Amino acid sequence: MFESQCVPFENGKISVLKIREGEVDEINSKQFNHLIYIASGRGQLLREGKQIPIVEGKGFWVSGENVIISNSPNLLTVYCLQIKGLPSVPLADQSPAKAVSLWEEAINLQKGQSFSERCRYQAAVWNLLSFMTDQTEVDRIEETMEMIKNHLSTPFSVTELAGKAGMSPTYFSRTFKKRVGMTPKEFLIVERIKVAKKLMVQNKGVTTKDVAIQVGLQDEFYFSRLFKKKEGVAPSIFMKRSKERFAVVSQMFLQDHFLSLGIRPVVAPAYPTVFPSSNGVPSYLEKKLEGTLLLNAEKTFLPEEILQVQADWIIKTPLHNGQLQSILLSHQQKVVQIPFKAGWNEYLREIALLIGEEGKVVAIEKEIDSLENKVKNDLSPMLKKGSWAVIWIRQNEIRLYGRKNHAFFDLFYQILGFEPHPELPEEGYQKISLEQLASLNSDKLLILWSQETDVWRVAQNKEWQNIRAVANGEVYYPKSYDWDPWGPLGRKNMLHNFSTSLESSKLVY
């Protein structure tokens, strides 16, 4: 029971986190656990290696170390209540219109010092907890969604779903569509298609009939029509794209190159903490990789994970610390080792040769050359004077990047023609202090891939004002989380909006 797991909140405090887009904040629950409530915005909660979407109206019990990332243009506002013990009582989704006033009332009361004021604070906290654990229509709709996902082969009628949610069929249908954006029948179809794609990509030799049955459709012809209507191609064509089954075992996004050549890999790397809101990959790859088994490249790859999908080929690049050498011993005939290469198109050519798609390379390179020339022309006024330095401001360091042997900087300096500061490293990066950055005396400064909280923390430092680019108002901070011109798709994605993004991204204090 709830009462047996919690003590009175004599030492519990309520605080509020306000996190701007791209910022990160932490909740460390050591002495206390926490109840958190999302009052506005959206983002990701990272805990115990898992990514949990957070949206307005949601509440969570959390313990241990937790990271909250905002990916909302609106301010992400999170209320936090310290609590001893971790209750098992489920939390209800609650509208901020009702919830925020209760949180704010408790915050105001916790300032009191007298016995009477502390009593009123305790009462306000219990009132808040009562409200946060009061199940609502939203919770019942979400429970229904989970039930549909977990029972795809069961064709629940609207009447049955409404009964389980404790609503009339008409009211349930209206409430479900308002909450989910589609009818229960449409939601079932979307979930069936998602699972079907996973089955087709990750299971060698599976047939359309097998897939149809596993997603709850006995008629494979109806399933084929449904799939083609939703995905634009028949299941047979979708599976043909993965007929030669390639597993990408790399800490680089080689899946970008495969996808540009019309091949969906059955296994590919992902970075869940770098791209928390798009399944661990850049957003422009997320939809294209539906069905692919995504491996966490931030950890050691496990051979059994890779081998379970029965890939025909394992495409491997050198890994840190010599990972996965065992996979080479027992599967020599299936493994292709691609050494590190200087340019993105060198990987493209080798992969195209491997899969027999050399004819597509010329067209891809021509399209990208055209985009690069357009961007160079668009940015010609910015190229005429002044030297540049590019930095990545991280939580505990600042990285100053060199001028070559990196996909972005080869593009930025050599192809687009930005002038590098003469004292930049030749390649790679070096960690520098603000004093060292100021002594560099670069005319212009470009900040890439950095979280807003880290940028503003550094910008508050007095040494920041000694940087020439800062004094001249020539610091550029575009939204560059997805900028990765290392593969054809990433390169095109970046080039399509690079000119306007850069020109409009001057840092304003």
Side-chain angles (χ1 to χ4, degrees):
M1 295 295 291
F2 180 84
E3 290 83 354
S4 67
Q5 297 182 53
C6 298
V7 298
F9 298 93
E10 195 62 41
N11 296 315
K13 294 182 179 179
I14 298 176
S15 57
V16 187
L17 304 178
K18 293 185 181 293
I19 312 171
R20 287 179 290 189
E21 184 177 15
E23 286 190 356
V24 176
D25 214 326
E26 296 181 356
I27 300 175
N28 291 318
S29 303
K30 294 180 180 178
Q31 181 181 358
F32 290 93
N33 297 309
H34 287 82
L35 163 64
I36 65 172
Y37 173 72
I38 314 304
S40 66
R42 65 176 184 271
Q44 296 284 325
L45 173 65
L46 306 183
R47 61 179 180 183
E48 298 177 351
K50 297 180 180 179
Q51 305 175 62
I52 303 171
I54 55 175
V55 295
E56 184 178 289
K58 284 279 188 185
F60 302 90
W61 302 112
V62 299
S63 61
E65 295 184 356
N66 303 269
V67 175
I68 296 179
I69 302 172
S70 172
N71 52 29
S72 170
N74 300 320
L75 198 65
L76 176 60
T77 305
V78 183
Y79 287 91
C80 308
L81 168 66
Q82 292 178 346
I83 182 170
K84 288 184 177 179
L86 191 63
S88 59
V89 177
L91 293 167
D93 289 358
Q94 297 290 7
S95 166
K98 297 180 180 178
V100 168
S101 60
L102 296 178
W103 282 97
E104 288 295 330
E105 179 187 8
I107 286 175
N108 290 330
L109 287 170
Q110 78 177 344
K111 300 172 184 177
Q113 299 298 316
S114 70
F115 180 78
S116 175
E117 289 170 327
R118 295 300 298 163
C119 287
R120 289 200 294 275
Y121 171 62
Q122 299 297 322
V125 169
W126 284 111
N127 186 39
L128 176 63
L129 287 169
S130 173
F131 178 75
M132 291 298 299
T133 54
D134 185 16
Q135 292 286 300
T136 66
E137 290 176 351
V138 171
D139 300 288
R140 296 198 293 274
I141 292 297
E142 293 210 345
E143 288 172 3
T144 304
M145 291 167 64
E146 286 303 310
M147 186 172 66
I148 292 172
K149 290 180 182 179
N150 295 330
H151 299 86
L152 293 178
S153 60
T154 304
F156 293 111
S157 67
V158 170
T159 301
E160 288 175 309
L161 293 173
K164 293 179 182 295
M167 305 178 190
S168 71
T170 301
Y171 184 69
F172 169 78
S173 295
R174 185 167 62 248
T175 305
F176 190 98
K177 186 166 185 178
K178 182 179 179 180
R179 173 68 177 172
V180 185
M182 62 186 84
T183 67
K185 182 179 179 180
E186 290 168 339
F187 179 75
L188 173 60
I189 291 171
V190 167
E191 292 303 312
R192 280 174 165 169
I193 296 298
K194 282 184 183 177
V195 173
K197 290 166 78 172
K198 182 177 179 180
L199 290 169
M200 288 188 281
V201 172
Q202 296 185 22
N203 293 274
K204 187 174 184 178
V206 71
T207 66
T208 303
K209 184 176 182 180
D210 293 334
V211 174
I213 291 172
Q214 289 189 62
V215 298
L217 296 171
Q218 300 301 315
D219 186 342
E220 65 176 293
F221 300 106
Y222 171 69
F223 166 71
S224 294
R225 291 196 303 273
L226 194 63
F227 189 92
K228 185 173 183 179
K229 181 179 179 181
K230 291 294 181 182
E231 295 298 316
V233 295
S236 57
I237 302 299
F238 183 88
M239 284 190 282
K240 188 176 180 180
R241 292 175 179 172
S242 300
K243 190 173 183 180
E244 278 275 78
R245 302 170 61 76
F246 293 90
V248 176
V249 181
S250 173
Q251 283 154 331
M252 298 181 286
F253 282 137
L254 281 177
Q255 59 259 48
D256 186 312
H257 301 73
F258 276 93
L259 290 166
S260 70
L261 294 166
I263 300 293
R264 180 186 290 101
V266 295
V267 174
Y271 287 84
T273 61
V274 179
F275 303 105
S277 61
S278 50
N279 209 22
V281 297
S283 59
Y284 55 85
L285 294 181
E286 183 180 19
K287 176 68 175 176
K288 293 179 173 64
L289 289 170
E290 279 188 350
T292 296
L293 174 62
L294 295 175
L295 302 177
N296 187 346
E298 297 165 359
K299 299 180 179 180
T300 300
F301 293 140
L302 300 176
E304 55 268 27
E305 279 189 292
I306 299 159
L307 298 177
Q308 71 180 350
V309 299
Q310 298 179 285
D312 299 310
W313 297 91
I314 296 171
I315 310 303
K316 184 175 178 292
T317 60
L319 302 174
H320 301 324
N321 304 318
Q323 292 177 19
L324 277 173
Q325 296 308 310
S326 61
I327 207 170
L328 297 175
L329 300 177
S330 58
H331 294 82
Q332 288 284 349
Q333 74 281 9
K334 291 186 175 182
V335 176
V336 174
Q337 176 89 18
I338 298 180
F340 288 128
K341 296 182 178 299
W344 67 273
N345 50 347
E346 292 184 41
Y347 288 98
L348 181 67
R349 290 169 190 165
E350 183 152 344
I351 292 170
L353 181 63
L354 175 67
I355 66 179
E357 294 289 357
E358 303 96 310
K360 294 183 178 180
V361 172
V362 173
I364 292 172
E365 291 182 333
K366 185 176 180 180
E367 180 186 4
I368 290 176
D369 284 344
S370 176
L371 278 172
E372 290 172 350
N373 288 329
K374 181 181 183 303
V375 170
K376 187 172 183 177
N377 289 333
D378 290 344
L379 293 175
S380 57
M382 299 181 73
L383 302 174
K384 291 180 179 179
K385 60 179 181 179
S387 63
W388 289 75
V390 182
I391 60 172
W392 182 3
I393 300 175
R394 294 159 61 88
Q395 188 171 5
N396 299 312
E397 66 184 22
I398 300 174
R399 293 182 178 181
L400 173 68
Y401 280 88
R403 66 185 73 197
K404 64 180 185 179
N405 291 341
H406 182 290
F408 180 86
F409 303 107
D410 288 342
L411 172 63
F412 189 71
Y413 292 125
Q414 298 176 37
I415 296 175
L416 298 181
F418 288 85
E419 179 187 342
H421 189 280
E423 296 179 26
L424 292 182
E426 191 67 12
E427 58 184 48
Y429 68 85
Q430 66 183 43
K431 298 178 184 179
I432 63 168
S433 65
L434 281 176
E435 292 83 358
Q436 291 171 317
L437 186 58
S439 66
L440 189 68
N441 246 1
S442 178
D443 300 307
K444 300 180 182 183
L445 189 64
L446 175 60
I447 303 172
L448 290 184
W449 310 310
S450 307
Q451 299 290 345
E452 191 174 348
T453 183
D454 296 324
V455 173
W456 289 112
R457 171 178 49 78
V458 168
Q460 301 306 309
N461 197 305
K462 63 180 181 180
E463 283 83 5
W464 179 257
Q465 303 302 323
N466 296 328
I467 298 171
R468 173 185 284 187
V470 174
N472 293 341
E474 291 289 344
V475 179
Y476 297 83
Y477 176 41
K479 291 183 179 179
S480 55
Y481 313 121
D482 273 358
W483 284 10
D484 183 11
W486 187 80
L489 299 180
R491 206 169 185 87
K492 286 191 285 186
N493 176 74
M494 176 186 153
L495 287 167
H496 276 305
N497 61 19
F498 184 69
S499 302
T500 53
S501 295
L502 189 60
E503 290 177 322
S504 62
S505 66
K506 276 193 177 181
L507 199 59
V508 179
Y509 303 97

